[in-house]
Amino acid sequence: MELFDLTGKVAVVTGSSKGIGKAIAERLADHGAKVVISSRKAEPCEQVANAINDKHGDTRAIAIPANIASKEDLQRLVDDTRATWGQIDILVCNAATNPYAGPMSGIADEQFNKILQNNVVSNHWLIQMVAPEMVARNDGAILVISSIGGLRGNAVIGAYNISKAADMQLVRNLAVEYGPHNVRVNCIAPGLIKTDFARYLWETPEILKTVTDPAPLKRIGLPDEIAGSAVYLCSPASSYVTGQTLVVDGGMTIAW
């Protein structure tokens, strides 16, 4: 268990009131970490934090709502975490948005800007705020949740995929910059996961069949199946892994 022991570590997980982010926060807490639950609305964050604390019988989670589009909100998220628990050892950038589906020729500037802002620039902001203390301690783990969409073209979610490809390159660049200070930066690229965020994909029978029929495991994934990979990349078990994108997709990308 010591390979995956996160006792004494403090983790901030964005977009963690539901879906993949929630599952990651829960599993980090299971492995001993103190976790910060964060999304735009306070009440869902508090519900997740309370459930984690009830499960473990101690204060292992706190809720700090923040809008990732606001640099001021993100700075408050970082400052309030430090005020409560002293430091940040693990950062998971999970929150993302996709307000448009369709060809790139039809996307409005405001929609494209929002996708790039929330899915790329906001990750950059938050990492900028957290990385210096990790560098100073010569220890830290940063994880960005991308998508297999960043590996392929798509006529329906092209703008989203562009942002997810950018996240993969963001991780590679920052791994080079922070590696000499023992700060690891990695990425997970999930396939289709059963979340509210992707509901329109897995609730549409034609799309679901198109995705699952060629896949070796013949099904879509569950949020908790991403959480295990996140625990690995945030723990001592992956101490020699940085700058990588781990594809967790049931084999979808190898079969398409």
Side-chain angles (χ1 to χ4, degrees):
M1 285 297 294
E2 64 187 24
L3 279 175
F4 301 94
D5 185 12
L6 297 172
T7 302
K9 301 296 185 182
V10 176
V12 173
V13 185
T14 64
S16 49
S17 64
K18 59 184 178 180
I20 290 172
K22 176 176 177 285
I24 290 173
E26 290 171 340
R27 289 305 186 179
L28 292 177
D30 286 346
H31 285 76
K34 296 177 178 179
V35 295
V36 177
I37 308 301
S38 185
S39 65
R40 286 189 301 113
K41 297 179 180 179
E43 185 176 353
C45 293
E46 290 166 359
Q47 290 173 352
V48 174
N50 290 339
I52 290 173
N53 292 334
D54 289 345
K55 177 180 180 180
H56 294 283
D58 58 17
T59 304
R60 198 168 295 196
I62 59 173
I64 304 177
N67 182 349
I68 59 169
S70 166
K71 198 169 189 178
E72 292 74 19
D73 269 21
L74 293 179
Q75 188 63 63
R76 179 178 49 77
L77 170 61
V78 171
D79 292 344
D80 288 358
T81 300
R82 289 174 179 151
T84 302
W85 278 327
Q87 64 188 52
I88 298 170
D89 303 283
I90 297 166
L91 172 63
V92 181
C93 296
N94 168 72
T97 191
N98 185 32
Y100 174 78
M104 292 296 296
S105 59
I107 192 169
D109 289 348
E110 295 77 13
Q111 292 170 316
F112 198 14
N113 287 337
K114 183 176 183 179
I115 290 170
L116 295 177
Q117 172 62 63
N118 287 358
N119 298 359
V120 185
V121 177
S122 293
N123 292 341
H124 163 66
W125 281 347
L126 194 49
I127 293 168
Q128 270 192 324
M129 295 170 187
V130 171
E133 67 171 275
M134 295 180 175
V135 169
R137 288 194 307 271
N138 207 48
D139 183 61
I142 297 169
L143 179 61
V144 176
I145 307 302
S146 180
S147 167
I148 59 170
L151 299 170
R152 305 185 65 86
N154 188 290
V156 178
I157 53 172
Y160 176 79
N161 288 355
I162 289 168
S163 72
K164 291 304 180 177
D167 278 333
M168 296 178 192
Q169 186 59 34
L170 178 68
V171 161
R172 287 188 284 266
N173 270 51
L174 294 181
V176 171
E177 293 183 27
Y178 295 136
H181 307 284
N182 196 41
V183 177
R184 299 180 300 105
V185 190
N186 287 294
C187 189
I188 293 176
L192 181 55
I193 306 298
K194 196 172 186 179
T195 64
D196 287 342
F197 184 81
R199 181 177 294 276
Y200 76 99
L201 295 174
W202 55 264
E203 279 194 340
T204 304
E206 297 80 11
I207 296 177
L208 183 61
K209 180 178 173 60
T210 299
V211 169
T212 56
D213 274 3
L217 294 186
K218 303 298 180 186
R219 63 178 177 86
I220 62 174
L222 300 174
D224 204 44
E225 293 180 300
I226 304 301
S229 298
V231 170
Y232 165 68
L233 289 172
C234 293
S235 72
S238 62
S239 59
Y240 198 51
V241 178
T242 196
Q244 302 304 306
T245 295
L246 177 59
V247 175
V248 186
D249 69 346
M252 291 177 186
T253 49
I254 65 161
W256 281 350

